[in-house]
Amino acid sequence: SQTIHQWPATLVQPVGSPLSLECTVEGTSNPNLYWYRQAAGRGLQLLFYSVGIGQISSEVPQNLSASRPQDRQFILSSKKLLLSDSGFYLCAWSPSATNEKLFFGSGTQLSVL
Amino acid sequence: QKEVEQDPGPLSVPEGAIVSLNCTYSNSAFQYFMWYRQYSRKGPELLMYTYSSGNKEDGRFTAQVDKSSKYISLFIRDSQPSDSATYLCAMSAREWETSGSRLTFGEGTQLTVNP
């Protein structure tokens, strides 16, 4: 069966520090991968998605970037965090480009102070 | 105007009640409709998945889609305290393969079932 791992679960970082969140998927090949952000009291905002290694699409211009160095690995990064980057970050995958079902990781609660 | 509207609640009901959760949408191209359940500080999990109009039942859960009214519902029968969570609706239309799957989410309704 397929599983998705996302870490860390909680992160507290000072303003201006770098960020690296990692997500890996097991039990499938060539998944579509996604990074979402969920702010308190708000819906899910799609940040990045990837349909293959090295292929990244950005949905929202911002202080963040994403990379996919391996087929089942997706990384969310920032060189300098802003206060507004605080939120709940979710990695997700879908089996193929035509399958609307998303499967989410457990999330990372990021607090930028 | 948002493409998907969902009352954020909070909604509080007694154990055993029938719960009705709803979303409306404006994009007539949507044809895939989902409900996700999200426990506090956890990732959402897929609860129900339907295509086009009609009903789908899974245990205590029933999903309804009315495309003519652009309205979807999730019913929970015999609600339990373990059903306490945020419920998000999501929907999509087919897109070109290279652009990947796209879901438009509602903001979620927070539900509490009191014992």
Side-chain angles (χ1 to χ4, degrees), chain B residues 17-30:
Chain B
I18 296 175
V19 177
S20 174
L21 304 168
N22 311 294
C23 289
T24 60
Y25 62 96
S26 58
N27 187 347
S28 58
F30 287 148

Side-chain angles (χ1 to χ4, degrees), chain A residues 7-13 18-21 81 87 108-112:
Chain A
W7 67 92
T10 305
L11 191 59
V12 180
Q13 292 283 95
L19 173 73
S20 180
L21 301 180
L81 284 168
T108 296
Q109 183 65 52
L110 172 66
S111 298
V112 182

Side-chain angles (χ1 to χ4, degrees), chain B residues 12 19 44 50 52 54 59 64-65 70 75 79 84-85 90 95 106 109 114-115:
Chain B
S12 182
V19 177
T50 55
S52 194
Q64 284 187 353
V65 175
K70 297 189 180 67
F75 297 97
S79 57
S84 298
E95 294 212 5
T109 299
N114 301 300

